[in-house]
Amino acid sequence: MKLFIDSANIAEVKDAYALGIIAGVTTNPSLIAKEKQEIKAVVKEIARIVPGPVSAEVISDTYELMLPEARELAKLADNIVVKVPINVQGLKTVSALRSEGIKTNVTLIFSANQALLAARAGASFVSPFIGRLDDISEDGTQLIKDIADIFSIHDIESEIIAASIRHPLHVTHAALAGAHIATIPYKVLLSLLAHPLTDAGIKRFYDDWKNANS
Ligand code: E4P
């Protein structure tokens, strides 16, 4: 499973990319709004820092507006993937973008059938939101498993991005369930590294070395 960072914060993206573990970035309108900067400038800068796929989301709600907005976003850099919501307008947009060779990430997926439709419309990526499902007592991990099984049985090439990751166990579960990618907030990425026995072990090695050499 590849790792993306789910952030529109330039400093976070830079720091995470420097760790050598980040293969792409996802943003969304809420994340961009938090940064209080113009969407195109933020997305362009992120796409310069990370050479992998960088998702930028449309905010229009009709096909007629979504399509030109998506084309504008796609022009920002070669590695832009246009993020489109799963609904009628979104599917039409994804299908049109596919015929133009523009990659899409279909977002706000909460059922296996939504993922199947997105894939058939030509999505390069589908993003099931596991944390938001868990929040309402549904099983986000099971959704990833179901989508992974369906895609594998039917030779579907769209990649599954486990999104709405809230904690380290979500990452483990998404990997075991067959997600191709997990998109992870910076804070959760750092918490994947942490273990109290690692900290204690580093301290003991350091202390033993210091005592023997003083
Ligand atoms: C994914 O692409 C979304 O940006 C994100 O994972 C949503 O996560 P949230 O449910 O924490 O807002």
Side-chain angles (χ1 to χ4, degrees), residues 19 80 90 93 112 121 150 167 180 205:
L19 298 175
I80 297 294
T93 304
I150 291 169
H167 51 69
H180 301 95
F205 286 152

Side-chain angles (χ1 to χ4, degrees), residues 114-135:
Q114 288 180 324
L116 181 59
L117 294 178
R120 289 308 186 203
S124 313
F125 303 93
V126 298
S127 289
F129 277 35
I130 63 178
R132 291 193 198 184
L133 277 175
D134 289 0
D135 289 345

Side-chain angles (χ1 to χ4, degrees), residues 25-129:
V25 183
T26 53
T27 66
N28 66 40
S30 309
L31 292 172
I32 304 251
K34 255 191 1 200
E35 300 307 314
K36 302 196 187 320
Q37 282 180 54
E38 206 265 318
I39 175 169
K40 287 186 180 162
V42 175
V43 166
K44 228 174 154 170
E45 178 62 5
I46 292 174
R48 200 188 55 78
I49 298 165
V50 177
V54 173
S55 290
E57 188 161 344
V58 294
I59 46 165
S60 306
D61 56 0
T62 64
Y63 168 71
E64 289 70 23
L65 293 173
M66 229 181 247
L67 187 57
E69 188 189 356
R71 288 181 181 134
E72 283 304 304
L73 290 172
K75 271 192 221 150
L76 293 175
D78 288 347
N79 52 337
I80 297 294
V81 172
V82 181
K83 216 169 169 193
V84 176
I86 179 74
N87 57 22
V88 170
Q89 310 297 323
L91 278 190
K92 282 166 71 177
T93 304
V94 169
S95 168
L97 292 172
R98 172 179 48 182
S99 63
E100 296 177 19
I102 295 175
K103 289 191 172 172
T104 52
N105 170 2
V106 177
T107 188
L108 292 163
I109 299 273
F110 293 100
S111 78
N113 285 335
Q114 288 180 324
L116 181 59
L117 294 178
R120 289 308 186 203
S124 313
F125 303 93
V126 298
S127 289
F129 277 35

